[in-house]
Amino acid sequence: MDGHALGNLLTDLGEGITLRHHDTNHALVRLRQLRAQLPGTGHAAAVLDTVIARLDLPDRPEPA
């Protein structure tokens, strides 16, 4: 993906959430961008579709 391994990009997104550099909304936008660069079928596309579906939920309040 633009000269970077998909696994590395996903790891960076996860670390960014953990370290609070960005939130899951940012990650969701980036995942959709990555998914758009993949062919319509294939294992990587299916995995990203699953991840996007799991993150794309209605907003909830933060736990106390």
Side-chain angles (χ1 to χ4, degrees):
M1 318 260 32
D2 297 328
H4 301 283
L6 179 58
N8 291 344
L9 295 171
L10 297 177
T11 299
D12 290 346
L13 280 175
E15 287 177 351
I17 292 168
T18 302
L19 299 173
R20 298 180 185 238
H21 294 297
H22 54 259
D23 61 12
T24 54
N25 292 324
H26 168 82
L28 185 57
V29 168
R30 185 67 179 125
L31 287 167
R32 285 185 173 137
Q33 291 170 345
L34 294 171
R35 175 59 181 96
Q37 295 178 28
L38 294 172
T41 59
H43 182 68
V47 169
L48 281 182
D49 288 341
T50 300
V51 171
I52 290 167
R54 288 182 181 175
L55 283 177
D56 194 17
L57 297 172
D59 289 339
R60 310 184 288 188
E62 285 190 33

